[in-house]
Amino acid sequence: MTLSGLGIFHTIIGVAAIVAAVIGLIKKGKIDLGRLTGKIYFYCTLVTSLTALGLSSVTGINPGHILALLIVVLILIAYFLYAKKRGNNRARFVENFFLSFSFFLSLIPTVNETFNRIPVGHPLANGPKDPLIGQTLLVLFVLFIAGSVVQFRMQRKINKAV
């Protein structure tokens, strides 16, 4: 389980992003770019996604690179909506969804890499097509859908109150 210097940096920053997102989701029900956890998520996810472009055992562009770029686009659009479309309005629905979707997408390689490396010597999974990875991602997808519905309802209440 050797990691390059870039791989170690990428992993540390990625873990910080995931922890920040989880804290934000637990405390506020969303990744809020106006809070410290949201800012940590945004910047760490941006760095993690960009460093992912330099990590690959395959030469050329691969699905992991496309996923990393998609995550960058999602968080940049969410940040733009946060910065330019202030207030409780329809932009919050898209902002919340894009941040949550970027978080879900970032968990795909996280689950795959973690399950294929941990525990050292006897990993939980044997490659990206291992059923355990698919089942775990399915559970995370269901949680993402349920969380998105809750966020939508919360934001609708906030918008109606204004």
Side-chain angles (χ1 to χ4, degrees), residues 133-143:
I133 292 174
Q135 293 165 355
T136 303
L137 292 175
L138 178 60
V139 168
L140 292 171
F141 181 71
V142 169
L143 290 172

Side-chain angles (χ1 to χ4, degrees), residues 138-152:
L138 178 60
V139 168
L140 292 171
F141 181 71
V142 169
L143 290 172
F144 160 68
I145 295 298
S148 293
V149 169
V150 169
Q151 285 178 344
F152 180 85

Side-chain angles (χ1 to χ4, degrees), residues 108 111-113 115-116 125-134 137:
I108 294 171
V111 167
N112 183 47
E113 289 297 319
F115 283 20
N116 281 294
N126 297 318
K129 294 184 180 183
D130 191 288
L132 179 60
I133 292 174
L137 292 175

